[in-house]
Amino acid sequence: MNVMKQGALFVRANLWIVPLVALLLWVLFRFLDPAPPRTLVMTTGPENGSYHQLGLELQERLAREGLRLELRPSRGSLDNLQRLVGAGSEVQLGLVQSGTSLLLEPAQRRRLSALAALYREPLWLFQRSEFEVQRLTDLDGMRVAVGSEGSGTRAVVASLFAEMDTFPDRQEEAFQDWQTMSHTAAVNALRNGELDAAFFVLPVDNPLLRQLISDSELRLVNLRESRALAARLPFLEHLVLVEGLLDIGASIPAQDTSLLAPVATLVVNDGFHPALTSLVLEAARDVLRDGSLLDRPGDFPATGPLELELTAEADYYHREGVPFLQRYLPFWFASIVDRYIVLLIPFIVIMLPLLRSMGPIYAWRMRARVFRWYEHLRRIDRLILSGEIEACLDQEISSLQKLEADLSRVDVPLSYAHELYSLHLHVRYMVKRLEAMRDGRSEMLEQKPVNG
């Protein structure tokens, strides 16, 4: 019973820690990242394009993991970038062609990060067979399609001509005179003879590319500057299309052909929850696992070529793979555990010194129940030393007797009982001392002669 009583006293003495722990938990929860959302909004590209098709495959794969991916079709990479950096935009991630983010203002680019390069999408230049284009300068005066407004094709072609300083006297005029149209419209115009040449940024398995290589009146251009341009523009790769790769039977291309290849990049803004990184990248790895004619299985997702920095979580994924807990637990459960582990560490660091202080505080509280009465005894000692005790002797004796009665009701654990009993002895000693002084005063009064 004494043990239970002592435990209750210990708890009461340390009740101060309860509101402190509650405040600490509130602060930690307040500044901890919120739980990952169950819905993401992704901007893709034209509904008949490869970006949107990839978005649909990611949507299906992520749905199996309990994450709903909403797709927003667009005109292309530049549109996607504007959505990602737009004020109040609900979009958190998008597909962007490498190099196009360089067209943004520095402040806008700082809001963006990359998760991965997803696949190569070469820049194809097709010409009518009656022409002989080998360099970009050969396109001067020709009817050329350079992609639709807001597309990555137009952005990369502009970067090429800016790097070459082509047509220095009339560069803007020459470029503006060229045709801005969608890839589908450009394919039809080129095959019908309405265009002399056209640029396309397409993955190798795109159906439009099949139409282009199957037309005997069209020919893929082998750009002689490809290697030099790739060296000067880090978001592009130099790619050699080996003879017959596109069609072995028809030997297309007829010779090894140099191409420039941007990559499709998965880009996020500051609204993207970092905990979803591994889930999205695992879905992308699953969708891209078979590779293509240009991308070997397992090559993507990759870390380059990119002009945006990887997020810290994406960098970890590319170096180490899926985070440890997610290898053994479902994603959503692992995410909760991971967040609370992060919460637990500062909580333990703060709580350890607080818990260590509970014993000393308890001991202080118990002793304080006894020691606070000694102040009364010290005050009487000072009165005695100063000679002022005579004026209040009876009053102090009465107060000490009352103190004795109060002490009998003081409850302390057995381990502190000796201090209580010591106080009893000291109070009794002081009472006897004062009583002796009172008795001595009475005797002196009795012995004093009476004036007759």
Side-chain angles (χ1 to χ4, degrees), residues 320-372:
E320 307 291 341
V322 176
F324 177 77
L325 290 176
Q326 293 177 32
R327 300 173 194 175
Y328 306 101
L329 299 173
F331 170 80
W332 298 103
F333 185 70
S335 176
I336 293 173
V337 172
D338 189 53
R339 291 174 67 250
Y340 283 97
I341 287 177
V342 173
L343 172 69
L344 191 61
I345 293 172
F347 182 75
I348 291 175
V349 168
I350 297 172
M351 285 302 299
L352 278 176
L354 291 178
L355 293 173
R356 288 197 189 101
S357 70
M358 290 176 68
I361 290 176
Y362 171 70
W364 174 78
R365 291 285 301 275
M366 293 302 101
R367 289 191 173 95
R369 292 186 169 201
V370 176
F371 292 162
R372 64 190 177 92

Side-chain angles (χ1 to χ4, degrees), residues 3 13 53 71 78 103 116 187 234 241 248 265 317 344 378 431:
V3 174
Q53 181 58 42
L71 303 181
L78 295 181
L103 302 176
V187 168
L241 206 63
I248 295 178
T265 306
Y317 175 88
L344 191 61
R378 291 184 65 185
V431 169

